[in-house]
Amino acid sequence: MHVDVGNALAVEASPGVPEDALERLDDRVRDAHEHIVAGMTREEFGYAALNLPKTADPAAIERAVEPFADSEVLLNVGIGGSALGAATLVDALGGDLDAHFLDNVDPEHVTALLEDIDLSQTVVHVVSRSGTTAETLANFLVVRDAMEQAGVDWTERTFVTTGPEGNLRDLADEHDLPALDAPEGVPGRFSALSTVGLPAAALAGHDVEAILAGAREGRAALTGSLFDCPAYAYGATAYALDVRGAGINAMMPYAESLETFAEWFAQLWAESLGKDGLGQTPARALGATDQHSQLQLYRAGPRDKLVTLVRAREREDRGIPDTELEGLDYLAGGSLGDLLDAEFEATEASLAESGVPSVRVEIPRIDERSLGRLLYDFEAACVLAGELYGVETFTQPAVEWGKDAARGLLSGERGLPEKTELVVE
């Protein structure tokens, strides 16, 4: 992965990071790196995620999905990190598999989806590390019922990824379902490169080993200096800009297939770093689409944003046909790829001209190896940023409060605090 932070420096942007401040910050990066490596060595909770390139077992994943190789549809039932990593890989890499990620409990959406797909040709992957996630288990119960009503033996079309205990493990044991072990010590949002995210890629026909090989490149690139490590360069720069006022991080990939990556990044960044009144707020955009909408705000609105521009250096292209239409001579002989590159560079220049900080992130191409590296590097960047903020990167107490409150409401065991209402109808 290539990271260019030049347009985030104080000589180019406001807010921006002075070069000497980055050099001073590098001493903290070195100390943070030592702490990260120590956590990885001891397989501590959270830090164990950065060991997945060497601890994940692609052979076990291939064995688990092999019985479902003839499936035409994948229904991944999970929420948050139990869905977004898998969706990022499948959406980026494509394939012939019709993949759906059931990560919400909207009844109209669930009903429409189940009516639309052929359940007899569907493989269901149920993912919950705790095995007790209310939304996931509720959706799975609905899916199971729909299969039974359609005359489909759900036990022959279902496998799970879960922890050693919990309702989902009990269900798998009772019905002899194929079961993969969720990685120990790895929060869901850091689990894309594991039995949580990789089975979907394997079912779509992608090379799981190549994904992990890319991630291993990222692991090997972790050094004690932000000037030598792309992941740390990004994490340190984002942190340094935040403390200088850029409290919003707009993730803007220039590839339709990476739109879900921006969603994955938003969860990773928000849930990991939003603690103790700290953390950047992630925003999701898509180039070139959002040049015609959000860019107006980024360039001319409040000076509180970092824009992260992501693209692949190589991709398939398509020529633009010649036309007799007046005023379109500049498109003649060009391609959609040429136009997209011009849009990328124009956006970058537009932000620089107005003094808005941006970081350029480039990968060689959108393939298994590059995706593995991209996901790993942003996870490492997030872990480093958490060290610099001094927050508990791998916990999510606010999320857990909401889960407990929802369970309490459903069970009748608790209510919510009274609130002031001002209703307009």
Side-chain angles (χ1 to χ4, degrees):
M1 188 174 83
H2 172 84
V3 174
D4 183 350
V5 302
N7 282 340
L9 298 177
V11 293
E12 299 289 345
S14 177
V17 187
E19 287 191 58
D20 60 346
L22 273 185
E23 292 171 359
R24 293 193 301 272
L25 184 60
D26 202 37
D27 291 335
R28 293 182 59 196
V29 170
R30 182 192 63 242
D31 294 341
H33 174 68
E34 292 176 358
H35 188 256
I36 291 168
V37 170
M40 292 167 64
T41 301
R42 292 192 292 265
E43 292 281 337
E44 293 179 7
F45 180 76
Y47 298 100
L50 297 181
N51 289 332
L52 284 173
K54 73 170 186 177
T55 58
D57 183 359
I61 293 169
E62 296 290 352
R63 287 194 300 271
V65 305
E66 196 277 331
F68 311 105
D70 62 343
S71 300
E72 297 176 3
V73 181
L74 164 65
L75 191 55
N76 190 107
V77 184
I79 194 167
S82 295
L84 279 172
T88 296
L89 288 166
V90 172
D91 289 351
L93 298 172
D96 295 331
L97 189 68
D98 183 17
H100 300 273
F101 298 88
L102 203 53
D103 60 352
N104 204 342
V105 289
D106 181 333
E108 292 184 348
H109 170 71
V110 173
T111 299
L113 176 60
L114 293 176
E115 290 176 350
D116 187 57
I117 61 177
D118 183 351
L119 293 172
S120 69
Q121 296 299 316
T122 297
V123 54
V124 179
H125 183 203
V126 190
V127 187
S128 171
R129 182 171 59 88
S130 68
T132 61
T133 308
E135 299 90 343
T136 299
L137 293 181
N139 272 337
F140 175 59
L141 291 175
V142 171
V143 171
R144 186 177 72 172
D145 181 65
M147 284 185 149
E148 289 175 343
Q149 291 188 34
V152 177
D153 185 350
W154 65 271
T155 65
E156 296 296 321
R157 309 298 306 169
T158 301
F159 73 107
V160 307
T161 293
T162 191
E165 299 177 346
N167 299 124
L168 192 54
R169 177 64 68 175
D170 294 341
L171 189 73
D173 290 343
E174 179 183 352
H175 295 281
D176 197 27
L177 304 179
L180 288 164
D181 295 329
E184 293 186 10
V186 178
R189 60 189 175 278
F190 286 90
S191 63
L193 301 168
S194 76
T195 51
V196 173
L198 293 174
L203 283 164
H206 301 300
D207 188 343
V208 169
E209 175 54 38
I211 295 171
L212 291 171
R216 285 194 292 271
E217 290 178 1
R219 189 176 187 275
L222 297 182
T223 67
S225 172
L226 68 90
F227 297 105
D228 298 324
C229 174
Y232 287 174
Y234 184 83
T237 301
Y239 161 80
L241 284 168
D242 183 19
V243 299
R244 287 166 172 78
I248 297 172
N249 189 337
M251 174 59 66
M252 194 170 186
Y254 273 70
E256 198 84 17
S257 63
L258 291 180
E259 187 171 13
T260 310
F261 165 75
E263 296 184 31
W264 173 85
F265 169 81
Q267 184 197 5
L268 180 76
W269 215 247
E271 195 169 3
S272 300
L273 304 178
K275 319 278 170 63
D276 304 328
L278 302 170
Q280 274 183 324
T281 299
R284 295 174 290 181
L286 178 66
T289 301
D290 287 312
Q291 287 177 226
H292 297 267
S293 57
Q294 296 180 39
L295 183 60
Q296 175 64 38
L297 174 68
Y298 300 162
R299 190 180 192 277
R303 293 304 182 93
D304 57 357
K305 299 169 192 69
L306 157 66
V307 181
T308 302
L309 303 167
V310 181
R311 72 170 173 183
R313 288 177 167 173
E314 299 176 11
R315 59 175 155 344
E316 293 184 7
D317 206 350
R318 182 159 188 152
I320 301 173
D322 292 338
T323 178
E324 73 284 359
L325 296 176
E326 186 177 349
L328 295 180
D329 295 353
Y330 66 95
L331 295 177
S335 69
L336 291 179
D338 294 336
L339 181 56
L340 189 63
D341 283 340
E343 300 274 18
F344 179 99
E345 290 163 14
T347 297
E348 188 176 54
S350 172
L351 294 168
E353 194 277 336
S354 60
V356 175
S358 68
V359 173
R360 176 190 288 217
V361 176
E362 293 178 303
I363 58 177
R365 62 197 61 81
I366 299 176
D367 62 8
E368 289 96 336
R369 198 177 193 99
S370 294
L371 259 293
R373 176 71 187 269
L374 183 70
L375 293 173
Y376 186 89
D377 277 8
F378 270 92
E379 289 182 1
C382 183
V383 174
L384 174 76
E387 299 286 324
L388 297 176
Y389 282 114
V391 298
E392 295 289 341
T393 306
F394 307 112
T395 62
Q396 52 282 331
V399 174
E400 297 302 328
W401 192 97
K403 290 180 180 179
D404 291 343
R407 290 192 191 99
L409 285 172
L410 289 169
S411 67
E413 294 178 357
R414 64 179 287 187
L416 297 180
E418 292 187 7
K419 72 180 187 69
T420 301
E421 292 187 350
L422 177 59
V423 180
V424 180
E425 295 182 348

